[in-house]
Amino acid sequence: MNDQERLLTIFLRLQSGAHLAKAQLADEFGVSEKTIQRDFSLLSGFLDTQPMVAAELAYDAKHHTRYLKGKSLFNKKDILVISKILLENRSLNKEENKSLLDSLLALVSKDEQNEVSSIIASELLNYAPLSDTQNRIDKVWEWSEMIRKELVLDI
């Protein structure tokens, strides 16, 4: 197996969700761990230069493996704006709002999460949730599906 085939094999395994150990790959391909480390570096550099690939090569320190970790095409500014709109329009109940904000923040790095969280902290502190606790996200989805399927909507 040549270098390109090895690199593609590693990439395809990563894409399938595998966690790959350097030593194991070195044994399998009959190369040094340093060669596998270079392969990981090449893949990481390549993924970093591809704006439309929503993944990065991550390291699991506990298991000493590499894996593909999804990354967001949103940046911290996008998350901040969406968070502010979400908080200001007060259209969701408290639990839905928290869940959605947490999901949005999870799309950026820990440092960026802290930065955005500190900016919206006062809005969160002063946030007055709706007294009605019905789940609106499910309702919006249900209504949208009915509209898409051109069904009669009974409100």
Side-chain angles (χ1 to χ4, degrees):
M1 177 178 290
N2 65 31
D3 294 350
Q4 291 84 9
E5 289 172 326
R6 183 184 65 247
L7 201 56
L8 284 171
T9 301
I10 291 170
F11 179 68
L12 290 173
R13 287 184 189 169
L14 289 166
Q15 260 195 323
S16 71
H19 286 236
L20 303 177
K22 203 175 2 175
Q24 179 186 358
L25 290 173
D27 287 343
E28 179 182 340
F29 295 118
V31 296
S32 70
E33 287 188 29
K34 197 169 190 172
T35 298
I36 299 299
Q37 182 60 48
R38 278 194 297 271
D39 290 346
F40 284 150
S41 293
L42 278 169
L43 281 172
S44 182
F46 174 76
L47 291 170
D48 287 345
T49 64
Q50 303 301 310
M52 296 310 291
V53 177
E56 62 185 339
L57 192 59
Y59 180 68
D60 180 350
K62 182 178 180 183
H63 298 102
H64 306 291
T65 58
R66 304 273 180 187
Y67 64 98
L68 280 185
K69 178 181 169 187
K71 67 178 182 181
S72 174
L73 298 178
F74 288 112
N75 61 41
K76 65 183 178 183
K77 293 176 186 177
D78 299 332
I79 300 300
L80 174 66
V81 169
I82 295 168
S83 298
K84 283 182 160 286
I85 291 169
L86 183 62
L87 288 167
E88 290 301 319
N89 77 23
R90 296 186 54 224
S91 62
L92 304 175
N93 68 38
K94 189 175 184 176
E95 290 77 27
E96 287 177 317
N97 206 33
K98 181 181 179 348
S99 174
L100 199 49
L101 282 172
D102 290 346
S103 296
L104 284 169
L105 287 169
L107 296 173
V108 293
S109 71
K110 290 286 185 199
D111 289 339
E112 291 174 330
Q113 287 177 26
N114 292 336
E115 197 173 347
V116 172
S117 293
S118 70
I119 294 170
I120 63 171
S122 64
E123 285 149 28
L124 280 170
L125 183 65
N126 297 318
Y127 182 74
L130 299 173
S131 57
D132 181 8
T133 60
Q134 69 175 304
N135 293 329
R136 287 172 177 77
I137 291 175
D138 292 336
K139 184 129 344 237
V140 168
W141 182 259
E142 179 185 328
W143 289 353
S144 297
E145 281 296 293
M146 292 179 78
I147 292 167
R148 185 181 66 79
K149 293 175 182 174
E150 299 179 358
L151 300 173
V152 175
L153 197 66
D154 187 22
I155 301 175

